[in-house]
Amino acid sequence: MTYWIDVEDLFEYALISRRPSGIQRLSFELYRVLLEQRPGEIGFCRHDRLRNTLRTVPWAEVEAVFVALSGRQDPAPARHEGPRPVGQAGQVRRLASRLPADIRVPLGEAARSQGAALRA
């Protein structure tokens, strides 16, 4: 069984703030511990406003957003290789995950900002 956690709040918060609040810190640590305690049973999702549905989010993307917010150089030790998105977007994410964090994180922020601008 997979337990799905909606991480939309973390991504939305990252669009408007430069530093995580206590809520984002606590949430991230809970996600990390859940992955450690229940490997293969935890998945992450976000609301896709264009399709009005939920979409999966790889742990690496959740981790990258938090690392960018917190200014940490080293991500949390937990690693999750859950379900990967399919199609062109999934391929782009897989390729992006191979980039060094100092390139990947700003690139991801730029992509999210562009997406938010297009939605607005």
Side-chain angles (χ1 to χ4, degrees), residues 69-84:
L69 269 176
S70 65
R72 289 169 42 178
Q73 296 301 314
D74 59 329
R79 294 279 181 228
H80 176 65
E81 295 299 324
R84 299 276 186 173

Side-chain angles (χ1 to χ4, degrees), residues 53-110:
T53 187
L54 295 174
R55 67 174 179 86
T56 61
V57 178
W59 170 245
E61 194 173 327
V62 176
E63 190 176 51
V65 168
F66 185 78
V67 167
L69 269 176
S70 65
R72 289 169 42 178
Q73 296 301 314
D74 59 329
R79 294 279 181 228
H80 176 65
E81 295 299 324
R84 299 276 186 173
V86 182
Q88 187 176 12
Q91 291 171 346
V92 170
R93 282 194 187 100
R94 277 192 291 279
L95 289 173
S97 72
R98 295 179 182 168
L99 293 171
D102 58 339
I103 295 171
R104 182 184 65 240
V105 172
L107 186 61
E109 289 173 351

Side-chain angles (χ1 to χ4, degrees), residues 9 31-32 40-41 52 79 87 92 105 115:
D9 179 64
Y31 305 155
R32 189 180 59 74
E41 295 181 36
N52 197 27
R79 294 279 181 228
V92 170
V105 172

